[in-house]
Amino acid sequence: MPSHLSRRNVLLAGAAAGSALALAAAPAHAHRRPRRLFGRYGSPSARLTSATLYVHPRGAGDFTSLQAAVDAATGTGRTLVVAPGVYRETVSVPADRTDMTWLGASEDPRDVVVVYDNAAGTPKPDGSGAYGTSGSATTTLRPDGFTARRITFANDWLRAGHPGVSGTQAVAVKVMGDRSAFFDCRFLGHQDTLYADSASLDTVARQYFARCYAEGDVDFVFGRATAVFEDCDFRTLVRTDLTSAPFGFVFAPSTAVANPRGFLVTGSRISSEAPDGYYKLARPWVPSSDPTARPMLTVRDTRLGAGIDAVAPYTTMSSGYPWQDQRFAEYRNTGPGAVITVPANRPQLTPAQAATHTRQAWLGDWRPQG
């Protein structure tokens, strides 16, 4: 099994290699052009558009950090082209940066990494307490209309490195805006990796994830957003601090009771580094801030690997809110983790119900272009 430190090494390896490739001069052969620092997206001397800014970790762009570029990109419809590299920083995008786009300049999302290592229990530098779950996020995205392509969002905080910290939630990205889309992105962490949220309890935030990859252990895809995960890969990790099942849970939706649509996972795959049956597919999160929440998750046309406990894939998070009272359902899933041995533990949609559990129904009049 991988060591607990391997996660950080793997995380940084792809980005370091990509950065080296981008910065290295190409051999002086007539038939080979030098690699462009910003790929096919122009440069500061040949901008994609007048609203485009360029980020490069070693000074070849307009800015060396994402936060500096975000601060400068006032208004709406701005684009950040991000060169290969590891951007070790926290980034917060205000709500007024509507319709912002981040483009990873490489064709491989492993080459462009934004990462930090705060956890919920990490003390703030000013002594005002710990960060809390939301405050631990490496990247916080508040605006409507945000789009990211080919970028890795990560939190490489490790439990093993902080044995005295009890708040082990460590968010890679918190997404709050409506019409937020992610194409070919990666989300890396352990607990609470991808926080698909909304700005308030009475706000519906539609989010779309296509061809993405997310990994973690405890509740690593969670929140109250109306989110579609299409053609995505989810991977559960080994726990070196535990010796028995369950190691964790893939999904923890916290859908508001008035919202008819929570998480929809379709045409995707769930695999595992852990032993067979050591992970639950989901548990409902009813937060103290919304005790009326009725979490919703539909997993359909998806391959569930052997890491998922097929006999009892769902479990209750808080007493008084049993998973059976929530809106959990499956349809036409395959793989060893999808085998139905106890029908009462695997609520299934009928074909008529499944016809209404689609990307189009979840996203309404919004058609993200991927």
Side-chain angles (χ1 to χ4, degrees), residues 41 101-104 147-151 183-185 211 369-370:
Y41 298 114
T101 298
W102 291 8
L103 300 175
T147 299
R149 299 179 185 273
R150 298 179 303 280
I151 291 176
F183 301 98
D184 304 290
C185 289
R211 304 179 302 277
Q369 300 300 312

Side-chain angles (χ1 to χ4, degrees), residues 119-141:
T122 301
K124 295 180 182 179
D126 62 5
S128 62
Y131 280 104
T133 299
S134 292
S136 76
T138 297
T139 303
T140 302
L141 303 170

Side-chain angles (χ1 to χ4, degrees), residues 11-182:
L11 165 67
L12 300 181
S19 180
L21 285 173
L23 293 170
H29 298 306
H31 65 280
R32 184 179 298 172
R33 292 184 177 181
R35 182 181 292 271
R36 295 178 178 177
L37 296 179
F38 298 101
R40 51 193 170 93
Y41 298 114
S43 67
S45 61
R47 295 186 187 276
L48 192 67
T49 68
S50 59
T52 303
L53 296 175
Y54 294 83
V55 187
H56 188 282
R58 298 191 183 180
D62 300 305
F63 302 94
T64 57
S65 79
L66 278 161
Q67 187 62 63
V70 167
D71 291 344
T74 56
T76 188
R78 303 301 296 270
T79 296
L80 305 186
V81 178
V82 189
V86 177
Y87 298 85
R88 180 161 284 279
E89 58 178 310
T90 58
V91 185
S92 180
V93 183
D96 61 0
R97 268 59 165 182
T98 53
D99 299 314
M100 175 175 276
T101 298
W102 291 8
L103 300 175
S106 171
E107 296 302 308
D108 189 336
R110 293 175 297 180
D111 294 340
V112 181
V113 178
V114 53
V115 58
Y116 210 72
D117 60 349
N118 283 331
T122 301
K124 295 180 182 179
D126 62 5
S128 62
Y131 280 104
T133 299
S134 292
S136 76
T138 297
T139 303
T140 302
L141 303 170
R142 294 179 177 85
D144 292 343
F146 180 87
T147 299
R149 299 179 185 273
R150 298 179 303 280
I151 291 176
T152 293
F153 299 90
N155 189 318
D156 62 357
W157 189 90
L158 298 170
R159 294 186 190 93
H162 305 83
V165 176
S166 59
T168 57
Q169 301 88 344
V171 177
V173 63
K174 180 175 182 177
V175 190
M176 303 168 68
D178 186 36
R179 295 179 294 105
S180 298
F182 299 81

Side-chain angles (χ1 to χ4, degrees), residues 222-255:
F222 74 114
R224 65 171 173 245
T226 294
V228 176
F229 302 88
E230 187 168 38
D231 191 16
C232 290
D233 288 277
F234 305 89
R235 188 159 179 82
T236 61
L237 303 178
V238 167
R239 294 283 299 271
T240 58
D241 57 323
L242 297 179
T243 58
S244 61
F247 276 0
F249 322 89
V250 181
F251 302 101
S254 57
T255 323

